[in-house]
Amino acid sequence: MLVLENKNVNGSLADAGKKKLESTINLDHGDPTVYEKYWKRLGDFNITITCNQSLSYFADPKHVCWYLMPNLEEEIKTIHKIVGNAVVEDRHIVVGTGSTQLIQAALYALSNIFNQSNPISVMAATPYYSVYKEQTELLQSGLFKWFGDAYEFDKDEPYIELVTSPNNPDGSLREPVVNKAKGKVIYDLAYYWPQYTAITSSMDHDIMLFTLSKSTGHAGSRIGWAIIKDEKVAKKMVQFMSLTTIGVSKEAQLRAASILEHISASCQKPKVHNFFEYIRFLMAERWNKLRNALAKNELLQLPELPKQYCIYTKELVEAYPAFAWVKCNDGTDCEKMLKEYKVQGRGGRNFGTGEEYLRLSMVGRDEEIDEFLNRLPAIMEGFLAARLQN
């Protein structure tokens, strides 16, 4: 019997995170360890899988996504109905190894449906998720190619636009930029959950991608899902999955289903602490500290994100993005400057913008965020001194 437990899985990492940070604070990656607090407080949360369970490649051979476990599909639809962030009725669910693999599958599917002799241009509006370019160019495919900034696309030809909403890195809610008849849009909605942003409407697009890592914090399970309108697109995506990984781990799917089931229950049972409220509180706490720390300075600037009405909470809410998109107002290389104070972020050039921008993760452990906030006064003093010298 194999037992997967929710405790002590990453014990060594957790112990390391408790130590006082005396070296570089790595805020480059969006590793969602902020969620550890919630899951640890549950105590024992076990998923038992017997040795004779889930041996077959298939979950349902008649299903479009033949490797998708029925209970995971059910829990995905349930959580979306509760939160109200996506339409799931009469839609196809395709599961992948994180949304990273699903982006590749969607590009493959759409490119095949276009059936063009030349590679299809793939683009996103700046600032765009830094990995899109690398993902598109990785295999040097003859099906598609990276174009770059969607604001600069003016050709009368087929294209694929990637829209991330809320956007990674700046947290803004986004719509397509190009809006031409020959285009297709992939919506990356990894952060469209109430702990990060207002749920302004139930999204109803042709291709919508979600991921367990940013919705529940279980990045290591590597589960993502696509909600697809067109069966042809869904089948092409499943073909990509079949030829690359022959489906997705059933153990990971069963864990994901159990986690989503718990979260849905927490939203409906008054005696259970609401998952989204709990994580939103943690995000609000660290964001309020950061905004207060930068409120009176003229050197480092954060985007202004307006309060919006959330159909899930039924109130006006502030945005607490997974990343802080920091701008050095004097044009300084922000990544280089913060490195002098042993703070590692991801520079603006990775996102198609200038070196004056820097992305910092807000979803790490408290120790990392608190230590960064402790260093902020010295950082701002250093920025000011450098400006005066120049």
Side-chain angles (χ1 to χ4, degrees):
M1 180 184 293
L2 172 64
V3 179
L4 304 181
E5 301 191 12
N6 192 47
K7 60 178 182 178
N8 297 327
V9 176
N10 290 316
S12 59
L13 289 175
D15 291 340
K18 293 176 182 177
K19 296 177 182 178
K20 181 175 175 58
L21 293 168
E22 297 174 347
S23 56
T24 299
I25 307 170
N26 191 340
L27 302 180
D28 177 87
H29 301 294
D31 195 20
T33 47
V34 64
Y35 288 85
E36 287 176 343
K37 267 190 174 182
Y38 180 87
W39 295 110
K40 284 180 179 179
R41 67 190 293 277
L42 293 183
D44 290 341
F45 180 34
N46 301 335
I47 305 162
T48 303
I49 303 171
T50 60
C51 292
N52 65 340
Q53 186 177 355
S54 303
L55 270 67
S56 173
Y57 288 117
F58 300 93
D60 181 357
K62 296 181 180 180
H63 197 287
V64 169
C65 188
W66 48 264
Y67 54 85
L68 171 59
M69 302 292 283
N71 56 336
L72 177 57
E73 181 177 26
E74 180 182 348
E75 295 305 332
I76 286 171
K77 290 183 175 181
T78 298
I79 194 67
H80 283 299
K81 289 175 183 177
I82 290 172
V83 174
N85 58 348
V87 174
V88 291
E89 290 299 325
D90 300 319
R91 301 292 183 267
H92 302 282
I93 307 296
V94 176
V95 172
T97 306
S99 60
T100 301
Q101 188 181 30
L102 289 169
I103 289 171
Q104 289 282 351
L107 292 176
Y108 169 80
L110 293 178
S111 299
N112 272 275
I113 289 170
F114 275 126
N115 194 26
Q116 297 289 303
S117 57
N118 296 320
I120 305 297
S121 294
V122 179
M123 64 206 65
T126 56
Y128 46 72
Y129 177 40
S130 57
V131 181
Y132 285 155
K133 181 177 184 293
E134 297 173 40
Q135 286 178 326
T136 305
E137 295 178 338
L138 178 63
L139 298 179
Q140 300 179 11
S141 172
L143 294 174
F144 47 82
K145 63 180 180 180
W146 179 250
F147 172 83
D149 187 2
Y151 286 111
E152 298 179 0
F153 186 78
D154 60 359
K155 300 177 182 179
D156 184 24
E157 63 183 34
Y159 68 90
I160 300 171
E161 183 177 354
L162 294 160
V163 175
T164 311
S165 186
N167 191 37
N168 175 359
D170 65 7
S172 62
L173 293 175
R174 285 190 154 190
E175 294 291 340
V177 167
V178 181
N179 293 309
K180 293 187 177 183
K182 295 182 180 179
K184 296 290 184 181
V185 180
I186 300 171
Y187 282 81
D188 185 347
L189 303 176
Y191 303 96
Y192 193 53
W193 295 97
Q195 64 266 47
Y196 303 116
T197 188
I199 305 303
T200 56
S201 65
S202 191
M203 295 292 184
D204 187 16
H205 302 295
D206 291 345
I207 302 177
M208 302 183 289
L209 307 182
F210 293 88
T211 175
L212 200 70
S213 63
K214 297 308 188 294
S215 55
T216 75
H218 293 85
S221 293
R222 307 309 306 133
I223 289 289
W225 61 92
I227 303 173
I228 312 292
K229 283 187 180 181
D230 189 338
E231 185 174 321
K232 290 181 182 178
V233 174
K235 285 182 175 179
K236 277 293 180 183
M237 290 180 68
V238 170
Q239 181 186 47
F240 178 90
M241 302 296 301
S242 301
L243 294 172
T244 52
T245 54
I246 319 180
V248 174
S249 164
K250 288 184 179 179
E251 285 83 1
Q253 290 189 61
L254 289 168
R255 187 184 192 211
S258 182
I259 288 162
L260 292 175
E261 182 182 19
H262 167 82
I263 293 173
S264 294
S266 81
C267 298
Q268 297 173 307
K269 296 180 180 179
K271 292 184 179 181
V272 180
H273 205 138
N274 185 295
F275 170 82
F276 293 114
E277 289 180 3
Y278 187 93
I279 302 300
R280 184 170 179 80
F281 174 81
L282 297 181
M283 294 299 296
E285 190 174 44
R286 53 184 57 183
W287 264 104
N288 289 336
K289 290 177 181 178
L290 178 61
R291 285 167 176 158
N292 289 336
L294 299 180
K296 296 180 180 179
N297 90 97
E298 298 179 356
L299 301 172
L300 300 177
Q301 179 183 341
L302 294 169
E304 292 186 10
L305 300 172
K307 286 186 177 181
Q308 293 186 283
Y309 183 78
C310 178
I311 61 173
Y312 172 71
T313 61
K314 296 179 172 53
E315 60 183 354
L316 281 173
V317 298
E318 285 198 52
Y320 303 116
F323 301 98
W325 185 235
V326 181
K327 180 183 180 182
C328 295
N329 285 329
D330 63 353
T332 301
D333 184 331
C334 210
E335 180 181 15
K336 182 179 179 181
M337 192 68 173
L338 262 70
K339 272 186 178 179
E340 296 179 13
Y341 296 88
K342 295 186 177 180
V343 176
Q344 178 65 55
R346 191 172 299 184
R349 292 190 183 279
N350 296 286
F351 304 89
T353 58
E355 63 184 13
E356 69 272 22
Y357 288 96
L358 179 71
R359 192 195 76 171
L360 300 172
S361 172
M362 294 293 286
V363 291
R365 296 185 177 92
D366 285 343
E367 292 83 359
E368 298 167 342
I369 304 299
D370 290 343
E371 182 61 21
F372 167 62
L373 292 170
N374 288 337
R375 295 184 194 183
L376 257 184
I379 292 170
M380 288 188 286
E381 286 179 15
F383 268 63
L384 182 59
R387 174 188 278 188
L388 293 174
Q389 289 177 1
N390 294 332

